[in-house]
Amino acid sequence: LKALAETLSKASMVSPLEAPKELQATLRPYQRLGFSWLKYLASCGFGGVLADDMGLGKTLQALTFLAWLK
């Protein structure tokens, strides 16, 4: 529990990551951050929900995360 608390305390330091090479798309900076956030949550054993405004690429962020999982 202590290790999880330490990991969660670093949530504000999540930085945008590059998309996996298998994904043939270019992510915008905020999409890279969304992907990074999902990856961070997964590393903590959590799931997450992308809930930004319509048209900002939630599908692409989710596909990027799935490509990373694969």
Side-chain angles (χ1 to χ4, degrees):
L1 187 59
K2 184 177 179 180
L4 178 60
E6 288 178 25
T7 301
L8 292 174
S9 70
K10 298 175 186 171
S12 64
M13 298 188 306
V14 173
S15 57
L17 300 171
E18 294 297 325
K21 293 178 184 174
E22 297 83 15
L23 187 77
Q24 296 180 358
T26 302
L27 298 178
R28 296 192 168 151
Y30 60 87
Q31 292 168 328
R32 289 177 43 218
L33 188 56
F35 159 60
S36 303
W37 178 246
L38 289 175
K39 189 175 173 185
Y40 171 77
L41 289 175
S43 72
C44 296
F46 297 128
V49 175
L50 296 171
D52 55 6
D53 291 335
M54 200 162 52
L56 293 179
K58 290 177 290 297
T59 301
L60 181 56
Q61 292 173 65
L63 290 173
T64 304
F65 180 70
L66 292 174
W68 170 76
L69 284 175
K70 183 180 176 190

